[in-house]
Amino acid sequence: MAAEASESGPALQELMREAEISLLECKVCFEKFGHRQQRRPRNLSCGHVVCLACVAALAHPRTLALECPFCRRACRGCDTSDCLPVLHLIELLGSALRQSPAAHRAAPSAPGALTCHHIFGGWGTLVNPTGLALCPKTGRVVVVHDGRRRVKIFDSLGGCAHQFGEKGDAAQDIRYPVDVTITNDCHVVVTDAGDRSIKVFDFFGQIKLVIGGQFSLPWGVETTPQNGIVVTDAEAGSLHLLDVDFAEGVLRRTEKLQTHLCSPRGVAVSWLTGAIAVLEHPLALGTGVCSTRVKVFSSSMQLVGQVDTFGLSLYFPSKITASAVTFDHQGNVIVADTSGPAIFCLGKPEEFPVPKPMVTHGLSHPVALTFTKENSLLVLDTASHSIKVYKVDWG
């Protein structure tokens, strides 16, 4: 009996941690719910729950009208009510939650585990973000989202340094940004699904080039070590390489690297080997259900490895739905999973796949990944409208 109790201890701690992150935290300001007035959980009329402080911040000062930060339905601040299930859960878990800081410190039991060290963004700062990139020279983080200005640049501390890209129909505007990359000379490249184009800006937001009329639905975009741009076309099922003179704002050449891909979206390039990973979304035959598949090509565009949702299910009991792909500094393929949600390492392409969980808690809906020079993992979580910074904890 004692052995069973000792084995259940870590599992119980993990359950407590998941409850605190998933249920007992306001997903707008990331503060813990509590009985104090400003942190009391409040039901909006649409059914979503935020803390009272965020209700006050989101509501119009005179009319008290507000828009739900999650489903966008119109609500009224005066029509909110206490979320009794959350308050009751806080009471039930009271003593355990008071011990949670120690539990959080003890959670990464294995040296080298990834732990979340910093979160920035949040609703209002970001609105339904879709793409993430890191400037190789400045280290600043660039995100595209559904705000009035579509491109937002953050400094190393998570503060907003600059934003540009007006929402509009002009050629230099951005209608519906899907992904973003930063070139080696600090130009910002955005795929715009609204007018099916690729738009190039300098780092201050001045438009340099609009590439339109060549793509059915440009989606994923990434920079190569040679400062080329690879782009997936989700509707045409193709992968393209663009050679651009960024200083002059001129498209020199377009090369079609792959065709007959199944709705390719995410794309990543290994700066170590030049390998290219493409994330496909094929339909399962006869079911109409969309699965995901990761394909890895060598620098000469030879297929060296692939794995799909079914293949990964042979390693893990739960379904894995890949939503983003990147390479780490050692050339391993890293994917985000929205079903878990989680982050997995699939190993090197020549050993593909050797899946290993990297992050299994604290995420809601990860849609983009990138690594910093210091080997921190940045995860764009669209459900919480935030960027989460994970670092290796050797403690």
Side-chain angles (χ1 to χ4, degrees):
M1 188 70 76
E4 290 180 4
S6 63
E7 290 176 1
S8 66
L12 183 59
Q13 284 187 358
E14 184 64 23
L15 181 61
M16 291 295 305
R17 181 179 180 142
E18 287 292 337
E20 191 168 7
I21 293 172
S22 302
L23 302 176
L24 304 182
E25 179 184 88
C26 175
K27 295 304 181 182
V28 177
C29 65
F30 305 112
E31 294 289 340
K32 296 291 185 292
F33 289 128
H35 289 281
R36 290 188 301 113
Q37 184 70 11
Q38 291 301 305
R39 295 302 163 209
R40 290 183 74 83
R42 303 287 289 181
N43 291 310
L44 300 181
S45 57
C46 61
H48 288 105
V49 180
V50 299
C51 70
L52 183 59
C54 288
V55 171
L58 293 169
H60 189 279
R62 290 194 301 275
T63 65
L64 299 181
L66 63 89
E67 186 180 77
C68 173
F70 307 109
C71 68
R72 305 292 191 87
R73 284 183 56 182
C75 307
R76 284 179 57 83
C78 59
D79 292 337
T80 65
S81 59
D82 278 342
C83 182
L84 296 180
V86 171
L87 289 171
H88 292 163
L89 189 59
I90 292 172
E91 292 176 0
L92 287 171
L93 303 179
S95 60
L97 289 176
R98 285 190 288 273
Q99 298 168 3
S100 62
H104 280 204
R105 287 193 295 272
S109 54
L114 282 175
T115 57
C116 186
H117 281 242
H118 184 41
I119 300 175
F120 59 94
W123 174 260
T125 302
L126 293 174
V127 181
N128 301 329
T130 55
L132 168 74
L134 190 72
C135 179
K137 287 189 176 180
T138 66
R140 292 191 166 183
V141 178
V142 180
V143 178
V144 290
H145 70 132
D146 197 28
R148 188 172 65 85
R149 293 183 177 177
R150 305 302 217 181
V151 181
K152 187 154 287 195
I153 301 176
F154 296 91
D155 59 31
S156 58
L157 298 178
C160 180
H162 185 44
Q163 54 185 335
F164 61 87
E166 295 291 332
K167 177 180 179 179
D169 296 331
Q172 71 274 15
D173 294 336
I174 302 176
R175 297 185 186 181
Y176 188 82
V178 180
D179 200 7
V180 63
T181 189
I182 311 300
T183 66
N184 303 340
D185 50 1
C186 298
H187 285 85
V188 180
V189 183
V190 179
T191 49
D192 188 344
D195 59 5
R196 301 170 186 256
S197 69
I198 295 170
K199 291 168 182 175
V200 181
F201 302 85
D202 65 23
F203 211 63
F204 301 101
Q206 295 298 311
I207 189 72
K208 300 288 288 187
L209 177 65
V210 177
I211 306 172
Q214 300 193 30
F215 304 98
S216 299
L217 185 59
W219 199 287
V221 62
E222 183 69 294
T223 303
T224 71
Q226 297 77 29
N227 211 34
I229 300 297
V230 288
V231 181
T232 60
D233 190 324
E235 197 169 286
S238 52
L239 176 68
H240 303 258
L241 174 63
L242 309 182
D243 180 13
V244 178
D245 183 334
F246 293 102
E248 297 297 326
V250 175
L251 175 64
R252 295 192 186 116
R253 185 171 61 92
T254 301
E255 180 183 354
K256 193 173 289 187
L257 299 178
Q258 285 289 325
T259 57
H260 307 298
L261 298 172
C262 296
S263 187
R265 297 185 187 177
V267 63
V269 179
S270 170
W271 282 53
L272 180 67
T273 65
I276 297 178
V278 177
L279 181 58
E280 295 182 299
H281 288 249
L283 286 174
L285 291 177
T287 66
V289 177
C290 186
S291 62
T292 56
R293 178 168 58 220
V294 180
K295 282 185 176 178
V296 182
F297 300 91
S298 67
S299 57
S300 59
M301 295 312 298
Q302 299 299 310
L303 181 65
V304 293
Q306 64 178 323
V307 65
D308 60 8
T309 298
F310 175 76
L312 290 173
S313 70
L314 302 178
Y315 296 89
F316 298 100
S318 58
K319 180 181 178 181
I320 295 177
T321 305
S323 57
V325 62
T326 191
F327 287 91
D328 67 11
H329 297 308
Q330 291 74 45
N332 294 298
V333 178
I334 313 297
V335 296
D337 163 39
T338 53
S339 294
I343 308 297
F344 289 91
C345 174
L346 301 184
K348 291 182 169 60
E350 59 270 19
E351 305 163 353
F352 219 57
V354 186
K356 181 180 69 173
M358 296 176 67
V359 178
T360 57
H361 57 268
L363 297 172
S364 299
H365 196 89
V367 294
L369 307 166
T370 192
F371 281 89
T372 68
K373 289 181 179 179
E374 297 77 22
N375 213 30
S376 296
L377 173 63
L378 306 184
V379 180
L380 181 63
D381 194 330
T382 192
S384 61
H385 315 276
S386 63
I387 299 101
K388 298 176 180 179
V389 184
Y390 289 86
K391 298 181 180 181
V392 176
D393 193 339
W394 297 105

